[in-house]
Amino acid sequence: MIEVSSLVKYYGDIRAVDGVSFEVKKGEVVGFLGPNGAGKTTTMQILTGYLNPTSGRVLIDGIDVVEEPVKVKERIGYLPENTPLYEDLTPYDFLEFVASVRGIGNGRKAIKETAELCGIMDVLYRSIGTLSKGYRQRVGIAQAILHNPKILILDEPTTGLDPLQIEEIRQLIKELGKEKTVLLSTHILPEVEQTCSRVIVINNGKIVADSAIETLKGELSGTSVVVEYRGELPPESLSVFGSVQTLKTEDGLYSIRITPHESRDIREDVFRFFKEKDAVLLELYRERKSLEDIFRQLTEQ
Amino acid sequence: MKIGSLLRKELKHLFYSPMAYVVSGIFLLITGWFFTNALFFVGEAELRGMMDVMPLLLMFFMPAITMRSLAEEKKVDTLQILMTLPVKEWEVILSKYIAVVSLFVVTLGFTLFYVFLLYLLGSPDGGMLFGNYLALFLLGCTYISIALFASTITSSQVIAFITGFSIIFVFFVLSRLQMILPVRVQSVVERFSMLSHFDSMLRGVVSLADVFYFICLNLFFLMLSTYMLVRRKG
Ligand SMILES: Nc1ncnc2c1ncn2[C@@H]1O[C@H](COP(=O)(O)OP(=O)(O)O)[C@@H](O)[C@H]1O
Ligand SMILES: [Mg+2]
């Protein structure tokens, strides 16, 4: 659905996007993750035909976005960052405008259905300038999905909302993701974990990771094991498995982390060790890194 | 028709904003003053007084009602919404141009009241009046196309206004400076000066060359505006 190859974008001397390639298949919900200034917005603006790339190619549904921008724009729904809207229009007027430019046959019906789905029925005739951030975001999404596009591109759809609004918008995106191909950008990790099946991590204009969320966690999560036990056993005796770090000791209760020297699963060996020594093993688990850690690790390189 | 949908949106923006009413109101006040001034104090029932100040008056008013067109869309970033709809750059420019021209025409329409008065008070030269209004219309449209171009190069309405005004002013001054220029340059400047074409139309002589001149100028600035919008994509 979306094929991006060797995308480069310069703003003057600034290289905002630096050789980005990725693919989004039909029906996928992909998170585009990166810190501020990473190049997410620029990339999305190129995908939607708002900007031309300095070099590289974007195919949307097989159509080159530079060669046939209008055709591409027909197929995409786009929510720009910070949801710019026409403040002096009402959501209805605004959606009616979008419907008529997009040539939607029964505009009135489409507007009503979309407004219901996005939950903006009761503000439809109020001036957009007077709406709360949450409602604005819904109007922005309504505008993007009005023509029932196959592809949705959402630039930081939950930034600036309060927790309740964030949850509502995420729910809406999940709902939309069931039948659409979605690319959504964010600099917040839980967002990706909650709504996306795959994540593309971008930093300094370059892609630093691209995989299913579980794979990414697996790939980067270390093989460290955390052991909690009671007894006389000194923590140093566990150094046969790798380097040992004491996390906590109190009243003969030890909590230690073992990081094996070579990457392998040492849980079985550790369990046998304790059984042999007849020590009381209270807890034994492989340490899972949070996406947070992974992200930091990726973007620090 | 996409132009029609775009145009309706532009008209809504224009007519929802107080700016349009304020500017048009002031315009009518000033032209009204010049008209009645000539009528009561000079004792002339004619539009000449009004027509003489028009080029100068429009120099302020046209940029004022046009400056918002693209500068504002850039400033609040709605340009991202607009330009990711399946529309072409020229359609956007043309719709914005037609919208402002419509506002101008409506305003100009109100001044027909003066013409009505002229007919009550005497028997004005119909051909002359037609020439006057055609000249006004063409001059106003040209100013609008220039101001629209000025609006494409910035995200600040103030800068758009100043730039639009300045370009029009250069055209204006050019024709007034004619006399002090060398004779050879004079004729060239005259050919390119808006005012000499405007003045000859005011005299009631509507030549195709004059009309053609204004149309070309409009097309030129509309194309330049479209080019600016295309160039923005990088
Ligand atoms: N219009 C612009 N002109 C100049 N530089 C820009 C412009 N837009 C973005 N940049 C720069 O390009 C880089 C990428 O920005 P952006 O794509 O907005 O990143 P993100 O959306 O990930 O925060 C940043 O360094 C930013 O300062
Ligand atoms: Mg961004």
Side-chain angles (χ1 to χ4, degrees), chain A residues 9 45 48-52 69-70 73-74 78 80 84-86 88-89 93-94 96-98 100-102 143, chain B residues 2 5-6 8-9 12-13 16 68 73 76-88 230 232-234:
Chain A
K9 177 71 182 179
Q45 285 175 336
T48 52
Y50 182 68
L51 292 179
N52 283 332
V70 171
K73 289 166 185 176
E74 280 166 359
Y78 173 46
L85 298 168
Y86 294 109
D88 51 348
L89 300 185
D93 280 348
F94 175 45
E96 191 194 52
F97 159 63
V98 174
S100 74
V101 170
R102 289 197 177 274
Q143 160 274 138
Chain B
K2 279 174 191 168
S5 317
L6 288 167
R8 255 195 307 155
K9 164 202 164 259
K12 270 181 194 163
H13 285 314
Y16 284 1
R68 200 167 178 258
E73 298 244 23
V76 300
D77 232 1
T78 45
L79 196 65
Q80 278 200 78
I81 297 273
L82 187 59
M83 297 318 295
T84 52
L85 287 171
V87 295
K88 299 214 168 69
V230 173
R232 174 205 59 82
K233 288 180 79 175

Side-chain angles (χ1 to χ4, degrees), chain B residues 31-64:
Chain B
T31 51
W33 188 79
F34 274 98
F35 176 74
T36 45
N37 195 43
L39 193 62
F40 293 118
F41 300 107
V42 189
E44 286 175 333
E46 57 165 46
L47 291 178
R48 235 197 40 224
M50 194 175 99
M51 289 298 162
D52 282 344
V53 293
M54 276 293 194
L56 218 94
L57 213 54
L58 294 179
M59 205 186 296
F60 289 94
F61 288 110
M62 296 297 108

Side-chain angles (χ1 to χ4, degrees), chain A residues 11 14-17 34-43 45 81 155-156 202:
Chain A
Y11 291 113
I14 303 169
R15 199 188 298 143
V17 177
N36 280 325
K40 304 180 295 292
T41 298
T42 305
T43 305
Q45 285 175 336
E81 190 173 17
D155 197 355
E156 308 221 3
I202 183 172

Side-chain angles (χ1 to χ4, degrees), chain B:
Chain B
M1 229 350 229
K2 279 174 191 168
I3 290 272
S5 317
L6 288 167
L7 178 59
R8 255 195 307 155
K9 164 202 164 259
E10 295 304 332
L11 287 174
K12 270 181 194 163
H13 285 314
L14 268 181
F15 287 93
Y16 284 1
S17 92
M19 189 69 175
Y21 298 99
V22 172
V23 172
S24 298
I26 296 177
F27 176 81
L28 289 174
L29 274 177
I30 296 179
T31 51
W33 188 79
F34 274 98
F35 176 74
T36 45
N37 195 43
L39 193 62
F40 293 118
F41 300 107
V42 189
E44 286 175 333
E46 57 165 46
L47 291 178
R48 235 197 40 224
M50 194 175 99
M51 289 298 162
D52 282 344
V53 293
M54 276 293 194
L56 218 94
L57 213 54
L58 294 179
M59 205 186 296
F60 289 94
F61 288 110
M62 296 297 108
I65 56 174
T66 315
M67 62 186 185
R68 200 167 178 258
S69 295
L70 273 137
E72 183 72 1
E73 298 244 23
K74 283 198 220 172
K75 183 163 162 253
V76 300
D77 232 1
T78 45
L79 196 65
Q80 278 200 78
I81 297 273
L82 187 59
M83 297 318 295
T84 52
L85 287 171
V87 295
K88 299 214 168 69
E89 280 82 3
W90 69 265
E91 293 174 316
V92 170
I93 292 295
L94 192 61
S95 65
K96 286 179 182 287
Y97 170 76
I98 296 176
V100 183
V101 166
S102 310
L103 176 61
F104 171 54
V105 168
V106 169
T107 311
L108 210 53
F110 281 109
T111 67
L112 286 177
F113 177 65
Y114 312 140
V115 175
F116 170 72
L117 286 183
L118 288 187
Y119 273 101
L120 275 188
L121 297 168
S123 49
D125 180 346
M128 181 105 147
L129 280 177
F130 175 76
N132 282 358
Y133 269 84
L134 185 63
L136 267 189
F137 172 74
L138 289 173
L139 189 75
C141 288
T142 310
Y143 283 8
I144 290 169
S145 69
I146 293 172
L148 187 60
F149 161 70
S151 183
T152 61
I153 64 170
T154 173
S155 58
S156 151
Q157 293 191 42
V158 177
I159 294 178
F161 178 88
I162 294 172
T163 310
F165 177 84
S166 304
I167 300 174
I168 299 167
F169 188 72
V170 168
F171 270 100
F172 186 80
V173 170
L174 216 57
S175 57
R176 288 290 186 254
L177 287 182
Q178 267 193 75
M179 292 63 158
I180 61 166
L181 293 173
V183 182
R184 195 167 291 191
V185 190
Q186 262 186 32
S187 65
V188 180
V189 170
E190 171 148 7
R191 191 164 299 170
F192 283 99
S193 139
M194 274 192 255
L195 279 194
S196 47
H197 289 276
F198 181 71
D199 285 340
S200 75
M201 286 180 86
L202 278 196
R203 275 179 254 119
V205 197
V206 178
S207 81
L208 270 182
D210 293 331
V211 176
F212 187 69
Y213 165 84
F214 281 115
I215 291 176
C216 284
L217 218 50
N218 275 271
L219 283 179
F220 173 73
F221 279 104
L222 286 177
M223 284 187 323
L224 204 58
S225 307
T226 305
Y227 169 74
M228 291 308 292
L229 213 49
V230 173
R231 214 188 69 146
R232 174 205 59 82
K233 288 180 79 175

Side-chain angles (χ1 to χ4, degrees), chain A residues 217-233:
Chain A
K217 276 184 171 174
E219 268 173 13
L220 288 159
S221 71
T223 40
S224 298
V225 165
V226 174
V227 183
E228 204 173 300
Y229 68 93
R230 194 191 298 279
E232 306 297 283
L233 211 60

